[in-house]
Amino acid sequence: MKISILAFDLSDNATGRADLLARLLAPRWDVEVVGPRFGARVWGPVAGGPIVHRALPMDQPRYPRFASAWSALAAQADGDLLYASKPRPTSYGAALLARRRRARPLLLDIDDWEVGFFSRSGVWGAAGRALNLTDPNGLTWTWLAEKLVSRADAVTVASRFLERRFGGTLLPHVRDTDAWNPERYDRAAARARLGVRDDKVVMFLGTPRGHKGVDDLVEAVGSLGRGVVLALVGVDPARSGAPRWSAPSHVRVTGEIPFDEVPRHLVAADVVAVPQRDTTDTIGQVPAKLFDAMALGRPIVSTSVSMIPEILEGCGLVVAPGDVSALAGAIKRLLDNPGEAAALGRRARERCEARYSFRVARAALFPLLDKLTRS
């Protein structure tokens, strides 16, 4: 059986979730990720990895000319089972169209509250976005896609918030804890690549955005004084915030890296920080980087947003979102107490193996797909 996983934009970092779903399914089925590409290239961290990403370049990314692309998007999804990543028009909408052309099971994965992304600027900002009908993944079309969630044959979700809102099977971001065993990676070599010697390293790994609290983290680590370095790994230098984040002397910036290279960088961290802010962007979101750090046994400081407190209970420190002083204090506590930090890191890896590993995810996902293909 062939499975087509549909991503809404293969140049966007959301491709990471589609790639994860493919990695989970690849040992048993023929899997590829398909979808439009609105940017210049497939998202860097997944390009060149073990999963095939078949992109359809969008030369006309706006309506009315974009309307001619729908037939090609649906034709891309030629698998015997369709798995749409996100209730977005160019992933889930294309999957619905493909299923209409040829009947087969359609599974929908929801890892973010997509409509929430359009609400960050309040009522008037959302109203303005709703009037922008030329964007095929704009607010109006995304809202309509969300209203059609019940038309999927089954749903998987990445957080408790999304489970309450949409139902379905809980499938958090997970990691291959066998491949991501910290004993397999050279910490000294990782620190050498960063150019740190005796400095303590606080790391943020992933695509930095405002709602992810990067500005709070830059300020918090800066308040800890000399000898503490903030490593931002995965920063696209073209992003608007990149010059601001890289300017302070205590910050080291590394560009996007292949997903499979993440452990070779992450093991350098003395503390991994995931300082999510409390916004409509994050209410349903669980950062994948949490599970990166847990799998590698890194001590974690994060914030009480979404289901982060549940995930890190007993194996990480959680502070109030947006509280820079509390964030700095928690980081300092772990840097000053390496024994406590190491114990939290060990417990975090144990939690990841028990709840957030490939083995656990496949135990939930494989029976669901078997049921869909038998019906």
Side-chain angles (χ1 to χ4, degrees), residues 123-348:
V123 174
W124 291 111
R129 291 185 174 94
L131 293 173
N132 177 15
L133 301 179
T134 64
D135 182 355
N137 286 304
L139 172 55
T140 298
W141 310 123
T142 298
W143 178 83
L144 287 171
E146 186 176 296
K147 292 300 179 184
L148 298 175
V149 164
S150 62
R151 297 196 180 185
D153 296 302
V155 174
T156 55
V157 295
S159 74
R160 299 289 185 197
F161 172 89
L162 298 171
E163 184 181 37
R164 291 190 296 269
R165 193 174 188 90
F166 300 106
T169 300
L170 182 64
L171 186 71
H173 300 300
V174 292
R175 289 294 177 256
D176 184 345
T177 50
D178 293 331
W180 289 43
N181 186 330
E183 294 179 0
R184 300 179 58 181
Y185 299 97
D186 188 333
R187 178 170 160 81
R191 291 177 63 85
R193 280 193 297 271
L194 274 177
V196 295
R197 293 176 179 268
D198 299 325
D199 293 325
K200 296 177 180 178
V201 177
V202 180
M203 186 173 291
F204 175 97
L205 190 145
T207 306
R209 288 179 173 152
H211 64 268
K212 298 183 179 183
V214 178
D215 292 295
D216 297 338
L217 184 58
V218 171
E219 181 180 350
V221 175
S223 72
L224 299 180
R226 298 183 62 179
V228 182
V229 169
L230 172 60
L232 301 179
V233 180
V235 179
D236 181 349
R239 294 197 67 83
S240 58
R244 180 176 76 254
W245 295 323
S246 59
S249 60
H250 67 280
V251 178
R252 306 283 188 276
V253 173
T254 301
E256 290 182 343
I257 59 173
F259 176 74
D260 292 320
E261 291 295 315
V262 166
R264 292 183 173 83
H265 290 75
L266 197 58
V267 293
D270 295 291
V271 172
V272 173
V274 188
Q276 294 280 94
R277 289 180 173 175
D278 187 9
T279 72
T280 58
D281 303 76
T282 61
I283 189 172
Q285 187 178 78
V286 178
K289 64 182 69 65
L290 268 183
F291 305 102
D292 295 339
M294 293 175 75
L296 266 295
R298 298 295 88 203
I300 304 166
V301 174
S302 190
T303 51
S304 53
V305 176
S306 187
M307 62 181 289
I308 292 174
E310 172 188 337
I311 294 167
L312 291 183
E313 183 180 5
C315 62
L317 299 186
V318 177
V319 300
D323 189 335
V324 174
S325 177
L327 179 63
I331 292 171
K332 186 175 188 302
R333 171 179 159 182
L334 293 185
L335 293 178
D336 290 348
N337 296 279
E340 179 186 11
L344 286 175
R346 286 192 299 271
R347 291 202 292 269

Side-chain angles (χ1 to χ4, degrees), residues 4-216:
S4 294
I5 297 179
L6 293 88
F8 89 98
D9 178 5
L10 281 170
S11 64
D12 187 85
N13 74 325
T15 304
R17 176 70 174 187
D19 187 82
L20 170 63
L21 297 174
R23 287 175 185 247
L24 287 172
L25 300 175
R28 186 167 170 184
W29 293 286
D30 177 17
V31 184
E32 68 176 1
V33 177
V34 302
R37 194 196 74 219
F38 290 95
R41 58 184 176 88
V42 171
W43 187 54
V46 303
I51 300 301
V52 174
H53 297 82
R54 186 154 52 92
L56 186 65
M58 290 291 104
D59 298 324
Q60 305 293 343
R62 298 281 174 169
Y63 285 121
R65 293 183 176 181
F66 179 80
S68 63
W70 280 109
S71 179
L73 286 175
Q76 267 194 317
D78 57 1
D80 304 297
L81 182 143
L82 308 176
Y83 200 168
S85 176
K86 294 182 175 291
R88 290 276 189 156
T90 55
S91 53
Y92 184 45
L96 289 169
L97 179 58
R99 185 180 65 176
R100 185 176 179 180
R101 293 182 173 186
R102 177 165 68 88
R104 52 237 150 116
L106 195 170
L107 182 59
L108 171 64
D109 181 69
I110 308 175
D111 70 322
D112 281 309
W113 182 36
E114 301 301 319
V115 172
F117 286 130
F118 295 94
S119 304
R120 67 170 70 97
S121 55
V123 174
W124 291 111
R129 291 185 174 94
L131 293 173
N132 177 15
L133 301 179
T134 64
D135 182 355
N137 286 304
L139 172 55
T140 298
W141 310 123
T142 298
W143 178 83
L144 287 171
E146 186 176 296
K147 292 300 179 184
L148 298 175
V149 164
S150 62
R151 297 196 180 185
D153 296 302
V155 174
T156 55
V157 295
S159 74
R160 299 289 185 197
F161 172 89
L162 298 171
E163 184 181 37
R164 291 190 296 269
R165 193 174 188 90
F166 300 106
T169 300
L170 182 64
L171 186 71
H173 300 300
V174 292
R175 289 294 177 256
D176 184 345
T177 50
D178 293 331
W180 289 43
N181 186 330
E183 294 179 0
R184 300 179 58 181
Y185 299 97
D186 188 333
R187 178 170 160 81
R191 291 177 63 85
R193 280 193 297 271
L194 274 177
V196 295
R197 293 176 179 268
D198 299 325
D199 293 325
K200 296 177 180 178
V201 177
V202 180
M203 186 173 291
F204 175 97
L205 190 145
T207 306
R209 288 179 173 152
H211 64 268
K212 298 183 179 183
V214 178
D215 292 295
D216 297 338

